[in-house]
Amino acid sequence: MKALIVCTSVSHGNTRRIADAMGQALRAEVVEPEQVDVERLSGFDLVGFGSGVYLRRFHPRLRRFVRALPAGGRGRAFVFATSGLPGVRFQPLERALGQKGLQVDGTFSCRAFDTFLPFRLVGGLNKGLPGPADLERAHAFAEGLAGSPAKA
Ligand SMILES: Cc1cc2nc3c(=O)[nH]c(=O)nc-3n(C[C@H](O)[C@H](O)[C@H](O)COP(=O)(O)O)c2cc1C
């Protein structure tokens, strides 16, 4: 199975650490949206899309990339995020990927270091996260996806 992970991680590298753990499990390259030609994605069986959460949404660079995907895509996808607070809203990105023809097979999120105001004033929220347990969970999540065949 050929997999690719597209990740925007601009704040603390939190999401990149999660992406790397998933990439290891899937033997997948982790790339930034700007490094991928959208037309190239059709060559992959499974593509992951992830970023930190910014003002309750996925990073604009990742959203722009998804908007630019050609319609009529095939294959499987998954979505992941790191955030300061619980309650990641996956649906908008899931819907956007579905509209491009991709089958979203799973979502993953974990809490991560956050220095967005007002947390900056107290030295940040969730210091030390993602931690080893999060990375293990990310690895296991990706392994699970690798093991599950595409639905008919
Ligand atoms: C400008 C800014 C806005 C943020 N907005 C949110 C938010 O709305 N909800 C949330 O849970 N975390 C928010 N965060 C925290 C980030 O989602 C968190 O630190 C994430 O792990 C950053 O990922 P990255 O290091 O991969 O970029 C925000 C952080 C910044 C810098």
Side-chain angles (χ1 to χ4, degrees):
M1 191 198 57
K2 221 174 145 203
L4 181 74
I5 299 181
V6 184
C7 172
T8 303
S9 181
V10 298
S11 190
H12 297 286
N14 295 333
T15 319
R16 176 70 197 217
R17 285 201 283 283
I18 293 295
D20 285 341
M22 292 174 167
Q24 205 187 27
L26 293 169
R27 292 191 196 86
E29 192 185 352
V30 179
V31 294
E32 306 217 4
E34 295 77 11
Q35 293 176 280
V36 201
D37 174 356
V38 287
E39 305 290 342
R40 232 190 89 203
L41 284 200
S42 56
F44 293 90
D45 308 300
L46 177 67
V47 182
F49 299 83
S51 81
V53 170
Y54 292 87
L55 305 177
R56 303 203 62 215
R57 304 170 81 178
F58 281 83
H59 194 278
R61 279 169 48 204
L62 189 70
R63 289 190 280 122
R64 199 178 309 132
F65 179 75
V66 170
R67 275 200 302 275
L69 292 177
R74 279 178 297 137
R76 301 160 63 213
F78 63 95
V79 180
F80 61 101
T82 65
S83 64
L85 301 171
V88 174
R89 293 188 311 147
F90 286 108
Q91 294 87 344
L93 202 65
E94 284 185 280
R95 201 178 314 123
L97 289 166
Q99 283 167 355
K100 298 294 184 178
L102 295 175
Q103 175 188 306
V104 181
D105 270 359
T107 61
F108 176 97
S109 67
C110 72
R111 309 278 298 277
F113 185 48
D114 178 4
T115 49
F116 187 45
L117 282 170
F119 305 121
R120 196 182 306 160
L121 302 174
V122 292
L125 188 71
N126 310 325
K127 258 186 223 164
L129 298 184
D134 298 307
L135 299 179
E136 266 174 42
R137 207 161 57 78
H139 193 277
F141 167 83
E143 272 182 343
L145 284 175
S148 67
K151 287 173 198 150

